[in-house]
Amino acid sequence: MSDLPDLPALPVTFRPGHTRAILLTAGVVILVVLSGIGLLLEHLGPGSRLSFVVTGALIFWALAQLARIKVVADESGVTVVNIASKRRLAWAEILRVNLRPGDAWVFLDLSDGTSLPALGIQPGIARQRAIADARALRALAEAHATARAAEGRG
C-alpha cells in the first residue's frame, strides 16, 4: 500500500473550483445586467420588464445547476452530484476510478457493469488539480477495497 498516495481525510469534496467560480460569477453578472436593462428601458411595460428579470434568473439558475457538480467521499461511500442527477454509491460498488488522456471528466466503473461519469473531477481549467483529485479518489477506492478483502479473510 506504500505506492498509494496519501489518503485525504474523510469526508472530502472534489469539485472544479475555477469552473464553479466562473459559472456563478457569470450567472450573477447576467442576472444583474438583464435586470438592469429591463428596469432602465423606459418604453417597456411591466410585463416586458419582468421578462428581462425572469430571463436573467433562469440563466442564473441554469449556470448554478452546472456549478453544483461535485463528488463527496466519506467513510461509507461516494455521492456523485452531476448536472441533473445525484447518486449515492457504497465503496463496494466502485471497481475503478478512471481519468484517461482526453477524458472530459472522471468515470467510475461500477460493480453492475456500468460506468458513471463523475463531473466533479474534470481537467478542463485545472488539469493538475483534476489529476490529483482522481488519484486521491482512486486511492480511497482501493484502500476501501483492500479493507473489505482483509475483513473477508479475517
Side-chain angles (χ1 to χ4, degrees):
M1 194 136 116
S2 60
D3 59 337
L4 293 176
D6 292 333
L7 296 177
L10 295 177
V12 62
T13 300
F14 303 104
R15 64 175 47 171
H18 292 95
T19 302
R20 179 179 162 88
I22 290 167
L23 289 169
L24 292 174
T25 301
V28 168
V29 168
I30 291 169
L31 175 60
V32 168
V33 167
L34 286 178
S35 297
I37 290 171
L39 297 174
L40 292 175
L41 291 176
E42 296 175 6
H43 67 279
L44 294 179
S48 295
R49 290 178 193 270
L50 181 62
S51 70
F52 273 89
V53 175
V54 169
T55 299
L58 287 173
I59 292 171
F60 175 80
W61 177 84
L63 293 175
Q65 292 303 302
L66 292 172
R68 76 184 195 107
I69 59 175
K70 63 183 173 182
V71 177
V72 181
D74 58 33
E75 288 297 333
S76 62
V78 174
T79 302
V80 177
V81 179
N82 287 333
I83 296 168
S85 66
K86 179 178 180 179
R87 184 163 175 193
R88 177 74 183 159
L89 301 165
W91 285 112
E93 294 179 80
I94 302 171
L95 300 179
R96 187 177 7 228
V97 178
N98 293 312
L99 180 60
R100 297 173 299 258
D103 281 350
W105 40 72
V106 162
F107 287 90
L108 305 178
D109 290 342
L110 305 179
S111 60
D112 66 1
T114 63
S115 183
L116 176 68
L119 279 62
I121 303 174
Q122 50 182 262
I125 296 175
R127 180 168 184 71
Q128 294 307 315
R129 169 72 187 266
I131 291 170
D133 288 351
R135 285 182 178 149
L137 184 59
R138 181 180 300 130
L140 286 167
E142 289 173 1
H144 282 85
T146 302
R148 276 193 316 279
E151 288 173 5
R153 283 180 290 208

